[in-house]
Structure formats: C-alpha cells, structure tokens
Amino acid sequence: MEDKILAIVNGNELTEGDLEYAISKFPPERRGMFSTEAGKKQLLDQMVSFELMYLYGKENNLDKEENYIAALKTAEKEILTQVAISKVLKDAEVTEEEANKYYNEHKDEFKKGALTTAKHILVDSEEKALEIKNEIDGGLSFEDAAKKYSSCPSKENGGDLGEFPRGSMVKEFENAAFSLPIGSVSSPVKTQFGYHLIFVTERKDDNASGYQDVKGTIYNNLLQQKQSQIYFGKIEELKRIYNVEIK
C-alpha cells in the first residue's frame, strides 16, 4: 500500500506512516483525540512545526553548542543502556510446565473468598418488618414487597444488592446473609440503619480461581522473577569486570 505524502518540508516528506507512528507514541488513553480529521491535522501541524525548528537549529549550528552535545551524550547513554538491558533479558522465558507447576503448588494464592448474592428490604421498625414478612409468606413476591415498602434505594431493583464478599456489609447484616439458607427470607435483622428482611439467592464458597483464569498473571510474575535473577546476576558479573567504587 502506498504511504501517502501529507506534507513536504524543505524536501523532507511527512507521510501517513509518520503520522501513525507519532500517534502510537502517545499513551493509549490519549490516542482517541487523533481519530478525527481535525485531530490528525492538529498533530500534522505540530510535526511540520518541529521540522521547521529542526531546520532552524541546523542552519544556526545549534548542534555545535555545549548544551546540545551534553544532551546528546546523555540520550546516547540512556538508549545504549536500555538496549544492553534488553539484550541481557531477551532469553528469559517461562514455560507452560513452570506456570502450571507454580499454580498447583500455590493454589492458596488464587483463592477467592466466599460471595453471597442477596436482596433486602429496609424499614424503621421490627413490627413493620414482621408485617411485611407475613405478606411475603402469604404470597407477595420479595421484589414487589421491596418496591412497595423498602426505604433503601435498592428498592428500585427489587431490593437487589448484587454479589458481595465478607467485610463489605455491616456485621449483623453480613452474619445473617452468609448463614441464611438460599431461597429463604430472614427474620428481621437489626443494624444501625434499621430493620432488614434478607433474601439470599446465591452463595459461592471459598474456591481457587482456575488455572486458565490466572495463567497470564502467573506468567508475568514468573517472568519478572527470572528477569530480576538474570539482571542482578549480570550486574554482579560486571562488578567483577569493571572497577566500582561507592563513596
């Protein structure tokens, strides 16, 4: 595919490829601003401006000044250092066998706590809560009762609180929600907010995430460990080759 020329500055062509490369240098969350023609034009104008300033610098021999030479040496050192680190670490790799072995030996690291899914109705007195429970026992659905009586904003969703782990609710509510049989409505539960009727729809006990769910995390962690070992091993080797004095 032809790389379309977008601008020519003193004989130097700026192409669509150059523009796309410039966009790729921005953080992902900022690249969207260049998705429109206006955004691309703004960036192209900036690229043209930089080319003009480059030409101005060359014409006025700014590349012979001390601050330029010092900055160039610093940049060269940083780039060469990064290239050297990349070369040292390029052979670090993690095998499927290693990742699987780590998972099987450290399953506790990937254990998820118990989760409960529940709905509730919140009122200001125990008597009112008991009256509502009697209506539910008599055939009124929990969801309709929540919409009709609950003072909690969750009433709009039939009292649904979604899925939550231990530690996310006040103690009295949590104790009831994690001990209540699934599908049954609790007796009134008093908390600092009032009196609750709780209806548990699902509960998930402590369980470990599956290997496929955490494989990526394991790979990254093991790779970082190997890279650290290789890197610091190389540093110790280089210390024996080059003179190092720390004062």
Side-chain angles (χ1 to χ4, degrees), residues 148-203:
K148 185 176 179 181
Y149 297 114
S150 183
S151 62
C152 177
S154 64
K155 65 185 293 182
E156 301 301 329
N157 297 317
D160 193 0
L161 296 173
E163 187 178 72
F164 52 88
R166 286 189 180 276
S168 61
M169 301 291 183
V170 293
K171 184 178 179 180
E172 300 86 353
F173 188 99
E174 179 180 288
N175 288 343
F178 277 87
S179 61
L180 189 69
I182 295 173
S184 63
V185 178
S186 73
S187 299
V189 176
K190 183 181 180 181
T191 72
Q192 65 198 69
F193 303 107
Y195 290 82
H196 308 257
L197 294 177
I198 304 171
F199 178 49
V200 174
T201 58
E202 185 180 3
R203 182 174 296 113

Side-chain angles (χ1 to χ4, degrees), residues 61-74:
N61 294 317
L62 298 184
D63 54 343
K64 305 295 191 299
E65 294 189 358
E66 288 185 11
N67 60 343
Y68 171 82
I69 294 172
L72 184 61
K73 286 182 178 179
T74 298

Side-chain angles (χ1 to χ4, degrees), residues 82-93 223-234:
Q82 291 304 316
V83 170
I85 291 173
S86 296
K87 182 176 179 61
V88 168
L89 300 182
K90 70 180 179 65
D91 293 329
E93 62 177 8
L223 182 60
Q224 287 178 14
Q225 290 177 21
K226 285 196 173 187
Q227 288 176 336
S228 292
Q229 291 171 356
I230 292 172
Y231 176 79
F232 288 110
K234 190 66 175 180

Side-chain angles (χ1 to χ4, degrees), residues 16 27 43-45 80-81 95 126-127 129 138 155 217 225:
E16 279 188 343
L43 182 57
L44 179 62
D45 289 342
L80 185 57
T81 298
T95 66
E126 184 177 14
E127 292 75 20
K155 65 185 293 182
T217 300
Q225 290 177 21

Side-chain angles (χ1 to χ4, degrees), residues 105-137:
E105 293 178 353
H106 300 82
K107 283 188 176 180
D108 283 348
E109 292 183 16
F110 309 104
K111 184 171 286 188
K112 298 181 292 186
L115 299 169
T116 287
T117 303
K119 301 176 182 180
H120 84 136
I121 297 170
L122 175 63
V123 293
D124 59 6
S125 72
E126 184 177 14
E127 292 75 20
K128 186 64 176 177
L130 287 171
E131 290 175 10
I132 297 169
K133 187 174 188 308
N134 287 333
E135 286 193 51
I136 293 172
D137 292 341

Side-chain angles (χ1 to χ4, degrees), residues 4-9 12-16 18-19 44 47-48 51:
K4 183 179 177 181
I5 297 172
L6 302 178
I8 302 176
V9 182
N12 184 40
E13 298 176 346
L14 297 177
T15 68
E16 279 188 343
D18 295 325
L19 182 64
L44 179 62
M47 292 170 65
V48 169
E51 282 291 320

